[in-house]
Amino acid sequence: SSVVHNGYEYRVTGVGENAFARNGCVEQVVIGEGIEAIYDYAFFDSPLLQSIVISSTVDYISSSAFGFCPNLRSISVDRRNEIFSSPEGCNVIVDEKNKELVLGCRTSVIPKGIERIGESAFYGCLGREELSIPEGVVEIGSGAFSACAGLRSVVLPHTLERIGDFAFWGCTQMKSLYIPPNVSSIQAPLFGKCWMLDTIEVDTLNPVYDSRYGCNAIVETASDKIISGCGKSRIVGSIKEIGPSAFGNSMIKSITIPANITKIHNGAFWGCRFCTSISVNPRNPVYDSRNDCNAIIETATHKIITGCITTNIPQNVVEIGERAFCRMPLPTFVAIPDNIQKIGESAFAGCERIYQV
């Protein structure tokens, strides 16, 4: 609660941003009386941290304060705290006023009465394999279960209405996900680096989203737009649009663009490092894959919007678009033809093997 320096006593009121981030020694954290706030990334990525005790005076905890603490298994809050609580045996921190689960861990039990799983609440919870979210929860915040690498099974409640972006990003072992009928807002992307994901199903009674014809993707029904897919997704004939990052960092190995696709957003397929084949239906009026180049080219502008590790850049292409080769495992040497006049933002970002261009 206080420290003495050069003969003066100072009252401690908070744990500052990044104060103990990536600390490889801390095993237990006790937040003393008088501490009011725990700021961004205060204990982020503390691999040995196992227990947290929150005092009665803490009234602010950043959503990133305890992110990626994979061995965390014990959480408690002083009963006198008027903002936060930790129901007995649940190992969670709950914002009582907003009925929000602020922080969970590998041993957490989500208590009844919770309406929202907060932003990054379970971020980096590596040891968790199964999770059933109780009825009554209406929202899952951004990145709530991101980087839960061991999570295999998630059961979402029928009361769920909103899912934030990156909610399941990096859940590398998750095989399937069912979207309940009342979900009306999904902020994409959801599934990057979900290498094992092969089944995505939207309830047939959902009026906003669908997974038509077993396409293994989330489709925005009104716009016929895929907003999130996986390695086993199919771009079926009635789809007209592919949203930004819809297949970002997915296991998709082959991309086939039907004739009816009229809009592919920037970065729709960024980071698809396992993709080796790309083709566009010759009847498509907007895109082509001329000369079997294994790329998607915007016909009117002669711009590559998506490429892969086997792409051959045709001589009549003049531009490489935004994130076209982002995070692809390209070879160490990449030759840019003389006909290229413009290279878009992040076109080759994260291509770690490139040594010479």
Side-chain angles (χ1 to χ4, degrees), residues 253-257 264 269 275-282 284 286-299 302-317 319-321 323-325 328 330 340 348:
K253 297 177 181 179
S254 177
I255 300 170
T256 302
I257 303 299
I264 301 175
F269 296 95
C275 181
T276 58
S277 174
I278 301 176
S279 62
V280 179
N281 190 300
N284 191 295
V286 181
Y287 303 103
D288 67 79
S289 55
R290 62 194 68 170
N291 305 327
D292 296 322
C293 62
N294 279 321
I296 302 172
I297 298 171
E298 192 174 60
T299 304
H302 305 289
K303 176 175 68 175
I304 291 180
I305 63 168
T306 295
C308 67
I309 59 175
T310 60
T311 295
N312 293 311
I313 302 176
Q315 291 298 313
N316 53 3
V317 169
E319 183 177 349
I320 298 175
R323 293 194 288 176
F325 292 92
M328 301 288 183
L330 297 178
I340 297 297
F348 295 94

Side-chain angles (χ1 to χ4, degrees), residues 198-271:
D198 58 16
T199 304
I200 302 172
E201 181 184 359
V202 179
D203 193 283
T204 55
L205 297 178
N206 191 301
V208 180
Y209 302 103
D210 66 78
S211 52
R212 62 192 67 175
Y213 309 117
C215 64
N216 284 318
I218 301 174
V219 180
E220 191 177 65
T221 304
S223 63
D224 297 314
K225 176 173 71 175
I226 291 180
I227 63 167
S228 275
C230 65
K232 294 294 185 180
S233 295
R234 296 184 301 113
I235 305 173
V236 297
S238 58
I239 300 297
K240 298 178 181 177
E241 190 173 343
I242 302 174
S245 296
F247 292 94
N249 264 322
S250 75
M251 275 288 290
I252 196 165
K253 297 177 181 179
S254 177
I255 300 170
T256 302
I257 303 299
N260 46 282
I261 295 289
T262 56
K263 177 67 176 179
I264 301 175
H265 289 255
N266 288 333
F269 296 95
W270 74 275

Side-chain angles (χ1 to χ4, degrees), residues 9-81:
E9 185 174 9
Y10 298 88
R11 188 169 73 92
V12 179
T13 60
V15 183
E17 185 175 330
N18 292 299
F20 297 94
R22 296 181 174 86
N23 189 305
C25 300
V26 174
E27 297 180 8
Q28 181 181 14
V29 171
V30 178
I31 305 297
E33 292 295 320
I35 306 297
E36 299 170 357
I38 307 173
Y39 292 100
D40 294 349
Y41 305 104
F43 297 93
F44 180 82
D45 193 9
S46 296
L48 299 183
L49 181 60
Q50 297 182 37
S51 68
I52 301 167
V53 179
I54 303 295
S55 68
S56 67
T57 54
V58 174
D59 59 16
Y60 172 77
I61 302 174
S62 167
S63 62
S64 62
F66 295 97
F68 209 81
C69 295
N71 285 304
L72 182 61
R73 58 185 73 237
S74 175
I75 302 171
S76 63
V77 178
D78 192 296
R79 293 180 182 274
R80 296 170 296 171
N81 194 302

Side-chain angles (χ1 to χ4, degrees), residues 120-194:
S120 302
F122 288 87
Y123 176 68
C125 190
L126 301 184
R128 189 111 200 185
E129 293 188 5
E130 297 181 353
L131 184 67
S132 181
I133 301 176
E135 295 297 326
V137 172
V138 297
E139 182 175 358
I140 295 174
S142 176
F145 300 99
S146 183
C148 291
L151 192 60
R152 297 175 182 271
S153 172
V154 180
V155 179
L156 303 181
H158 279 62
T159 53
L160 188 64
E161 299 174 2
R162 299 178 295 277
I163 305 175
D165 57 351
F166 300 100
F168 300 101
W169 191 273
C171 293
T172 56
Q173 298 298 311
M174 188 169 68
K175 293 184 63 66
S176 64
L177 190 70
Y178 161 76
I179 305 296
N182 293 312
V183 175
S184 59
S185 175
I186 297 176
Q187 297 177 17
L190 292 182
F191 302 122
K193 295 187 178 181
C194 292

